[in-house]
Amino acid sequence: MNGGAAEDEGAGAAAPVVVHRPTGGHGRRVSIRAQAAGLAHSDADVIEFLRRAGLPDAEELLDDPRWVRWQGGRPHDYGTD
């Protein structure tokens, strides 16, 4: 991934999956290897995107900063409540 200051924060800077900041009550964009995967409204959506990308055991990857970087906001918060 190309890095800027915002891209390089935290241990997950090289993570292939990015869950972007909440979009004002409309969920969070998800990118896998810099390609748009979709808009997630829950962990189940992120898990489905990872499964479609061929990542087995996707549920176990959500809290692994080597795989998933949660950008802005709290992890697992989709701003849709």
Side-chain angles (χ1 to χ4, degrees):
M1 294 187 172
N2 63 10
E7 294 269 331
D8 292 329
E9 58 190 50
V17 179
V18 178
V19 181
H20 299 272
R21 39 185 104 256
T23 59
H26 300 289
R28 296 175 86 143
R29 291 183 305 109
V30 177
S31 299
I32 301 173
R33 292 185 176 90
Q35 299 295 315
L39 185 65
H41 295 93
S42 67
D43 284 353
D45 291 339
V46 179
I47 291 166
E48 179 61 15
F49 298 149
L50 298 179
R51 186 193 65 75
R52 289 181 188 175
L55 296 168
D57 303 321
E59 196 168 332
E60 297 173 16
L61 301 178
L62 291 183
D63 292 314
D64 186 338
R66 294 171 297 176
W67 283 96
V68 178
R69 179 164 51 109
W70 295 86
Q71 184 183 61
R74 294 184 318 250
H76 311 285
D77 178 9
Y78 295 87
T80 57
D81 303 317

